[in-house]
Amino acid sequence: RISSRLGNTQGHGRGDSEGVRLVLTGGRFEIGPVKPITWILCLELPGMEPIHFRTTDLDRCEVKKLSFEHKVVDVEFRRRRWVPRRGQRKTSVGLCLTAPESSFGQNGGVYVPTPLGFDRAPGALESFAASASIEVKHHDEEASSFFKLDDIVLEFGGSFQQQNL
């Protein structure tokens, strides 16, 4: 049995230049007796093939910091060594999303679906003024590529509004 998300965080954005896109979604799900956090990252950056990570595909996500209090999501994605994916290079991505506290909505936040209808509890709070710092490392090269995106949407929902990981 899989239940709905118990908590989640999301980041979405597009860059000023053509072909720059970021989608990050993390959430805690109840799957039988366990409540894992699962992650998806889709990233398109200039001069690179699209990069996709999914923890359901055995990709690893290290949560360095997930803090509603400090308005930050800092994660690092890596492929397991034995899981090459359709010709993709061995790649890791470090991603840090931050937003000013004053940029988050007030008055209880966004309504979300619940078994009893839409409600602000557990709700979600979002900012449209977040920034993303991205480091992409291809393990067959010495150098890393760094990118900064502004005007990213950052959302904390459900129990992710009360905890720090």
Side-chain angles (χ1 to χ4, degrees):
R1 176 178 167 265
I2 300 176
S3 75
S4 61
R5 292 183 303 210
L6 302 174
N8 70 293
T9 188
Q10 299 183 52
H12 301 271
R14 295 181 70 122
D16 290 335
S17 60
E18 187 68 28
V20 176
R21 290 187 195 96
L22 163 70
V23 176
L24 171 70
T25 301
R28 185 178 300 277
F29 292 81
E30 184 176 6
I31 305 171
V34 296
K35 297 177 184 173
I37 296 178
T38 59
W39 293 93
I40 296 171
L41 172 67
C42 301
L43 190 58
E44 293 181 19
L45 298 165
M48 294 186 183
E49 293 291 320
I51 299 170
H52 303 108
F53 286 92
R54 293 182 298 263
T55 54
T56 55
D57 288 346
L58 300 180
D59 292 332
R60 297 187 68 182
C61 178
E62 177 186 348
V63 178
K64 295 182 175 186
K65 187 171 188 174
L66 193 159
S67 173
F68 176 72
E69 178 183 354
H70 296 105
K71 310 300 188 264
V72 64
V73 176
D74 190 355
V75 291
E76 183 173 353
F77 288 87
R78 293 186 182 152
R79 298 220 192 290
R80 294 204 183 260
R81 294 180 195 268
W82 65 87
V83 187
R85 188 170 300 131
R86 291 182 291 277
Q88 289 188 350
R89 299 158 68 183
K90 290 184 181 177
T91 302
S92 62
V93 174
L95 174 62
C96 185
L97 298 168
T98 59
E101 185 170 345
S102 62
S103 68
F104 282 82
Q106 305 299 317
N107 304 322
V110 177
Y111 283 91
V112 296
T114 72
L116 301 174
F118 283 85
D119 198 343
R120 285 185 168 160
L125 289 176
E126 60 189 5
S127 166
F128 291 88
S131 62
S133 298
I134 304 165
E135 177 184 8
V136 178
K137 181 170 184 174
H138 297 294
H139 294 277
D140 55 349
E141 298 176 1
E142 292 292 321
S144 295
S145 299
F146 296 91
F147 300 88
K148 177 129 165 100
L149 301 176
D150 292 313
D151 300 323
I152 301 295
V153 176
L154 177 57
E155 175 186 295
F156 292 92
S159 65
F160 282 22
Q161 296 176 79
Q162 289 87 37
Q163 64 186 1
N164 296 320
L165 298 178

